[in-house]
Amino acid sequence: QVQLVESGGGLVQAGGSLRLSCAASGSIFSINSMDWYRQAPGKQRELVAVITSGGSTNYADSVKGRFTISRDNAKNTVYLQMNSLKPEDTAVYYCYALVTVTPLSGAYDYWGQGTQVTVSS
């Protein structure tokens, strides 16, 4: 079994910064993509940022230039540095990982429990 544990959410004023962390643990052979999603009240979950095992990144247009995703493969941890936060960034942020458990198994989806980010105006 694989667990993803997020941390770093909280309340911040507009223009402020937060850094989210997500650590994966358990039966892990390799982790392919590690992503951040978010879901605001009454809205669908949306992809925020993606980072591959090789370090390639991609961002939603709404966060480009403000958010930076990074990962530490040795620690199986992904980070999301969020700067210049806006009230519309308020959401529950979820970590996602595509994990290969054994060399003979396929890759499986795992999600964290979510961490609340609230940006006040």
Side-chain angles (χ1 to χ4, degrees):
Q1 189 62 286
V2 175
Q3 298 83 36
L4 301 181
V5 178
E6 298 138 340
S7 60
L11 173 64
V12 65
Q13 288 189 333
S17 298
L18 283 174
R19 188 189 193 212
L20 305 183
S21 300
C22 172
S25 62
S27 301
I28 298 171
F29 175 74
S30 66
I31 301 178
N32 305 320
S33 177
M34 295 189 82
D35 312 338
W36 287 98
Y37 286 74
R38 68 185 181 187
Q39 187 167 18
K43 294 188 177 181
Q44 290 188 328
R45 190 172 297 189
E46 64 173 353
L47 180 63
V48 176
V50 175
I51 186 165
T52 67
S53 57
S56 297
T57 60
N58 200 9
Y59 298 91
D61 288 342
S62 59
V63 307
K64 280 181 181 176
R66 300 188 298 121
F67 290 10
T68 302
I69 189 170
S70 61
R71 64 189 281 177
D72 184 334
N73 290 331
K75 296 181 179 180
N76 290 331
T77 299
V78 64
Y79 306 95
L80 186 67
Q81 178 66 44
M82 305 185 293
N83 299 329
S84 302
L85 283 161
K86 304 175 180 180
E88 51 263 43
D89 294 318
T90 295
V92 177
Y93 284 70
Y94 295 91
C95 174
Y96 162 87
L98 183 61
V99 179
T100 299
V101 176
T102 73
L104 298 180
S105 71
Y108 299 93
D109 301 326
Y110 292 93
W111 291 89
Q113 79 285 358
T115 185
Q116 177 70 47
V117 171
T118 303
V119 184
S120 62
S121 58

